[in-house]
Amino acid sequence: MNYGYFDKENNEYVVTRPDTPTPWINYLGQGKYGGIISATAGGYSFYKDPRNCRVTRYRYNGVPMDRPGRYIYIRDQETGEYFSPSWNPVQKDLDCYECRHGLGYTRITGGLKGIEGSTTYFVPIGKDFEIWRFLLKNKSNRKRILRIFTYAEFCFFDAVMDQQNVDWVQQIMRCQFKNNIIYFHRYDEIHGFSFFFKVGKMHSYDCGRDQFLGLYGDEGKPLALEKGECSNSEIFRANGVAATCLEVELDPAEEKEFLYFLGKVDRREDAVKIQKTYGNSKSVDVMWRELNEYWKEFISHFHADTPDEKMNLMLNTWNQYQNMVTFDWSRFVSMYQLGIARGLGTRDSNQDTLGVMHTIPEETKKLIIRLLKIQFPEGDSYHQFFPLTGKGDGKGFSDDHLWYILSVSAYLKETGNMGFLEEIVPFADGEGSASVYEHLFRAVNFSMNKRIGPNELPLIGKADWNDTLNLDKGKGKAESIFTANLLGVALQEMSEIAYQLGKEGDAENYEEWYSQMKNRVNEVAWDGEWYIRAFDDFGGKIGSVSSKKGKFYLNAQSWSVLSGFAEKKRAIQIMDLVYERLNTPHGIILFEPPYEGYDKKIGGTTTYPPGAKENSGIFCHANPWAVIAETILRRGDRAFMYYSQILPPKWNEKADSFEIEPYVYCQNILGRHHPQFGLGRNSWLTGTAAWNFVAGVYYILGIRPHYDS
């Protein structure tokens, strides 16, 4: 079934049915204040850090689905009938409905019985608030008396505490109406204020959820809408909301605009200042133009006109847009990552820089520095950090620190700013600092010489790129072939960097290390027909000819080509096997055959059923690496076939079987061993975005920067 279409002229995806198989979302903001909004106005807002500074509440995986959100209701005062232009939460059959997800904004329009409401949601450039620009039209032939209601549910700033310490949270929170502004804050006011206001006069308001919805009520049938007015409630505990009511009269063909602001400030007077400075149509017009000019300029840095329209759609607009969202939020906050347990990943964010390096290199430099600050003097790093606090979390992954080399080398090639390597950046322990170049040296030295196993390959630790491949069972002997290949790529980059700096001795040292690692991999990881994936903690081979399950792994082959460890004849052999054994019409599966049942020697991979995620699913992130490998082998047709198989627009006409948004990449697609083969999951925040851009532009089209060309 078809739920929408691409508007290429306006760079929008237009949702034409509200009952999408999953919430089809968009992102608001530029990585500071922002939020997620679905095609039916569900979603939530946050400031800098969705874990530690949540603004509005959302119930994941709840019933009814996709609640709450940023809602507007329209009530006919003559009949008492009401509806939401966004369809949700009232879910009344509308005479017209349309959602336009654009770059940095979403516009939702709906109408019933001659009344149409259209709301444009956006976060102005550089601001810590969002605007709901609501246009109300009377398309009937008679005068109408209407009341317009708004609703958003505030969340305690610490999203974990909001879920786990309900009594304390509700006892200390206040929601009050002052200066025509609704404020939500702690009793002691030490964490600032979430705020909401309507520009101009209102009929009434509610600060209390129970008062607006009614006890045991819900967003679909609020008590205030049944009564026709809010109750001017304030709360001194319990749940705060941003609910307002205004009355408006419209003559036939008349339309009126109303403005609403939602945001986060440190002091009450800051909200008042926003109200006075920006609370008018002229200022909103200026901010709207600035937003559109920002995104127009952002996507202008690259444009391709290829014979393939789906490729053009992605490379010119949606892939670049998704790259910016992943750059802002890594794997932190989406409809699948809850913005609670995960921060900005070291591995993830370093890779995400690759997708925006051509557009915002200086912004990527700032992120790289933040990532280098969570590296330890020995060379390894934290697994992630939280943007509000800067604190790192997690340790022991074999690959995290090696991704620094790929992001830094990409920055150097894009800008030519070799002076960046001399900048001094502190280590995570707070007791020392070093140049960026020294940070990179310590990263490769750690994997080459300090944390190696019985076969002189990098120890896998907690895991490598595949977080679910948990082979270390306490002996500390499990080794990763993936990390060995990644190290090979990093050493080649380090050699180039050293030559650029005139450090020939360093360059020769990196080349010698590369040669040593290449020989080790080919001596112990070649299994006669292909490369194995890893050694377990007991010396056994993972991904071996002799393995009964998990016999043939994609990444062990593709990365042997990327690293150059596989000579050409061997490289062709293993990539032919990838095509024969792993390829499907919807993408390349991660390995075959899948594991069946839990295997404690393998770990998390075997917790999934066959064909799901890392257990022989189509892990989309790994597909562009196969694309790159095929271009290295000069097999462009196969590379383009792999690239095309996971292009999201191909699913637009059969969205019921794919379910998720057809305008952005997803993390995984259920593989051929799963009964729901072809079902997509975990959209938006995935390394697939940056790597498919790299694969498409740098390799298929062959346009990539180097140090002097």
Side-chain angles (χ1 to χ4, degrees):
M1 186 177 291
N2 188 312
Y3 291 85
Y5 64 93
F6 289 89
D7 182 339
K8 290 175 283 186
E9 184 176 343
N10 293 303
N11 294 320
E12 295 172 330
Y13 185 85
V14 185
V15 183
T16 55
R17 291 181 51 135
D19 55 339
T20 54
T22 60
W24 287 6
I25 70 164
N26 195 10
Y27 280 76
L28 307 176
Q30 304 91 42
K32 193 178 178 185
Y33 180 92
I36 292 168
I37 183 166
S38 75
T40 57
Y44 54 106
S45 301
F46 38 85
Y47 174 67
K48 287 187 178 179
D49 186 325
R51 171 176 173 167
N52 295 301
C53 202
R54 192 73 63 103
V55 174
T56 60
R57 190 178 279 153
Y58 187 78
R59 283 176 278 281
Y60 295 95
N61 200 29
V63 177
M65 187 168 72
D66 194 24
R67 302 281 182 91
R70 304 168 179 85
Y71 297 135
I72 289 179
Y73 306 81
I74 301 173
R75 187 181 194 272
D76 188 320
Q77 287 297 94
E78 295 178 30
T79 65
E81 185 177 18
Y82 57 88
F83 70 99
S84 296
S86 55
W87 185 66
N88 250 343
V90 179
Q91 295 190 359
K92 190 159 286 185
D93 288 338
L94 301 177
D95 296 332
C96 64
Y97 163 85
E98 178 185 86
C99 169
R100 289 181 170 265
H101 284 320
L103 307 186
Y105 68 89
T106 287
R107 179 179 296 118
I108 305 176
T109 303
L112 183 68
K113 297 182 179 179
I115 298 298
E116 181 180 281
S118 181
T119 312
T120 302
Y121 302 89
F122 71 99
V123 174
I125 299 294
K127 301 297 189 292
D128 297 334
F129 56 80
E130 63 190 78
I131 296 172
W132 307 0
R133 192 172 198 174
F134 179 63
L135 184 64
L136 184 66
K137 298 180 181 180
N138 180 2
K139 292 189 168 185
S140 69
N141 57 9
R142 59 189 175 87
K143 184 175 183 177
R144 307 295 288 271
I145 302 173
L146 308 166
R147 285 192 178 175
I148 312 304
F149 294 77
T150 64
Y151 179 82
E153 186 175 338
F154 289 117
C155 182
F156 184 63
F157 306 123
D158 184 327
V160 176
M161 297 299 286
D162 188 69
Q163 295 178 357
Q164 297 180 1
N165 200 342
V166 174
D167 176 61
W168 178 71
V169 165
Q170 292 196 347
Q171 292 287 5
I172 69 169
M173 296 309 292
R174 303 287 185 267
C175 197
Q176 299 172 301
F177 182 83
K178 292 183 179 180
N179 307 314
N180 211 41
I181 300 172
I182 294 174
Y183 295 95
F184 182 72
H185 60 92
R186 283 175 54 140
Y187 167 72
D188 53 22
E189 301 186 1
I190 64 173
H191 285 324
F193 304 81
S194 297
F195 72 89
F196 182 87
F197 66 82
K198 175 200 167 293
V199 174
K201 295 181 179 180
M202 297 185 301
H203 173 276
S204 52
Y205 64 87
D206 269 316
C207 298
R209 188 178 73 180
D210 289 346
Q211 288 78 5
F212 182 80
L213 298 181
L215 200 60
Y216 299 104
D218 65 74
E219 303 96 336
K221 192 178 180 181
L223 177 63
L225 269 294
E226 295 291 308
K227 295 190 307 180
E229 62 182 3
C230 295
S231 59
N232 293 343
S233 62
E234 296 186 343
I235 66 160
F236 300 91
R237 58 166 301 282
N239 298 287
V241 298
T244 65
C245 170
L246 71 96
E247 184 164 296
V248 57
E249 296 184 7
L250 289 179
D251 291 326
E254 187 179 6
E255 60 182 54
K256 291 183 179 179
E257 181 182 87
F258 306 96
L259 301 173
Y260 301 92
F261 286 64
L262 170 67
K264 171 74 172 62
V265 291
D266 293 329
R267 304 171 302 168
R268 292 182 195 270
E269 50 264 41
D270 295 332
V272 174
K273 185 177 180 181
I274 291 169
Q275 185 185 50
K276 291 180 178 179
T277 306
Y278 302 109
N280 58 81
S281 293
K282 185 177 180 180
S283 294
V284 172
D285 282 338
V286 171
M287 291 184 287
W288 173 247
R289 285 196 300 270
E290 289 175 347
L291 179 76
N292 285 278
E293 288 166 4
Y294 169 85
W295 283 110
K296 182 179 179 181
E297 196 277 335
F298 181 87
I299 64 173
S300 71
H301 291 246
F302 177 83
H303 184 87
D305 185 10
T306 78
D308 188 276
E309 189 54 40
K310 294 181 178 65
M311 186 181 199
N312 294 340
L313 274 171
M314 293 306 295
L315 288 185
N316 295 335
T317 303
W318 292 97
N319 196 169
Q320 292 196 66
Y321 181 50
Q322 185 180 3
N323 287 345
M324 192 64 208
V325 172
T326 59
F327 176 80
D328 285 337
W329 297 112
S330 187
R331 313 297 173 267
F332 199 173
V333 57
S334 72
M335 289 297 189
Y336 305 88
Q337 295 104 338
L338 309 188
I340 294 175
R342 301 184 65 169
L344 301 187
T346 308
R347 170 203 304 144
D348 302 323
S349 291
N350 273 298
Q351 293 177 83
D352 292 339
T353 65
L354 306 180
V356 295
M357 195 66 74
H358 67 291
T359 301
I360 52 166
E362 295 312 305
E363 290 301 309
T364 68
K365 174 186 170 183
K366 293 175 184 177
L367 178 58
I368 291 169
I369 290 173
R370 295 188 77 183
L371 293 166
L372 286 169
K373 288 180 179 179
I374 59 170
Q375 183 186 17
F376 294 95
E378 195 172 9
D380 58 339
S381 69
Y382 279 122
H383 189 52
Q384 62 183 9
F385 77 95
F386 292 93
L388 192 65
T389 64
K391 291 183 178 179
D393 183 52
K395 198 179 176 187
F397 291 81
S398 67
D399 65 315
D400 280 335
H401 51 285
L402 293 173
W403 296 104
Y404 290 127
I405 291 87
L406 274 69
S407 62
V408 171
S409 65
Y411 171 78
L412 299 175
K413 292 171 185 176
E414 183 67 42
T415 65
N417 178 18
M418 302 304 288
F420 176 49
L421 294 167
E422 300 174 5
E423 292 193 26
I424 304 300
V425 179
F427 289 107
D429 62 1
E431 297 181 2
S433 59
S435 68
V436 171
Y437 181 80
E438 179 70 16
H439 275 266
L440 302 187
F441 164 76
R442 294 191 188 198
V444 293
N445 186 55
F446 180 84
S447 291
M448 187 73 199
N449 299 310
K450 292 191 175 184
R451 200 64 66 85
I452 58 174
N455 295 293
E456 297 188 297
L457 299 172
L459 291 171
I460 197 169
K462 286 187 176 179
D464 55 25
W465 170 86
N466 183 342
D467 288 325
T468 70
L469 197 58
N470 314 127
L471 304 178
D472 189 333
K473 302 305 175 183
K475 293 179 177 290
K477 295 182 179 181
E479 297 164 299
S480 168
I481 308 305
F482 174 90
T483 303
N485 278 297
L486 176 59
L487 175 59
V489 172
L491 287 169
Q492 289 176 310
E493 295 291 350
M494 289 300 292
S495 178
E496 284 191 287
I497 290 170
Y499 275 123
Q500 291 293 320
L501 295 176
K503 297 177 179 286
E504 293 188 3
D506 285 4
E508 291 170 0
N509 181 56
Y510 296 133
E511 289 171 355
E512 175 59 28
W513 282 359
Y514 174 85
S515 180
Q516 291 175 18
M517 188 54 60
K518 179 178 179 179
N519 290 337
R520 292 175 195 172
V521 168
N522 280 294
E523 286 171 7
V524 302
W526 179 252
D527 208 36
E529 296 183 47
W530 58 74
Y531 289 97
I532 67 168
R533 179 62 174 79
F535 288 97
D536 67 25
D537 220 17
F538 308 94
K541 296 178 179 180
I542 304 297
S544 166
V545 173
S546 60
S547 301
K548 292 182 179 179
K549 301 293 181 181
K551 195 179 191 78
F552 182 72
Y553 274 80
L554 168 62
N555 287 346
Q557 320 317 319
S558 60
W559 273 85
S560 294
V561 180
L562 268 62
S563 67
F565 287 175
E567 301 295 345
K568 187 167 185 180
K569 182 179 179 181
R570 187 172 283 184
I572 290 173
Q573 176 181 326
I574 58 178
M575 292 309 296
D576 281 347
L577 287 173
V578 167
Y579 175 72
E580 293 167 12
R581 304 186 68 150
L582 303 181
N583 192 47
T584 81
H586 303 318
I588 310 169
I589 61 175
L590 209 50
F591 62 83
E592 66 86 33
Y595 298 101
E596 297 178 2
Y598 182 68
D599 184 341
K600 64 181 180 181
K601 284 187 177 181
I602 304 297
T605 298
T606 62
T607 63
Y608 293 106
K613 290 200 68 170
E614 286 94 343
N615 189 12
S616 198
I618 300 166
F619 215 88
C620 299
H621 189 162
N623 276 238
W625 295 333
V627 172
I628 294 170
E630 291 292 352
T631 63
I632 291 171
L633 297 176
R634 303 292 184 184
R635 302 199 294 193
D637 287 347
R638 186 173 289 177
F640 186 71
M641 180 191 70
Y642 287 158
Y643 174 82
S644 300
Q645 286 175 166
I646 63 168
L647 279 175
K650 83 171 214 176
W651 293 100
N652 196 55
E653 307 305 316
K654 42 189 175 181
D656 280 326
S657 59
F658 190 52
E659 290 198 355
I660 59 176
E661 300 94 331
Y663 44 90
V664 290
Y665 289 104
C666 61
Q667 181 208 66
N668 68 92
I669 300 170
L670 294 174
R672 66 186 177 207
H673 299 94
H674 197 282
Q676 292 173 287
F677 176 37
L679 183 73
R681 272 297 174 269
N682 210 332
S683 58
W684 280 95
L685 300 187
T686 167
T688 313
W691 275 108
N692 251 36
F693 187 80
V694 168
V697 177
Y698 288 29
Y699 288 90
I700 291 177
L701 300 182
I703 306 165
R704 57 183 183 269
H706 208 265
Y707 291 103
D708 56 2
S709 61

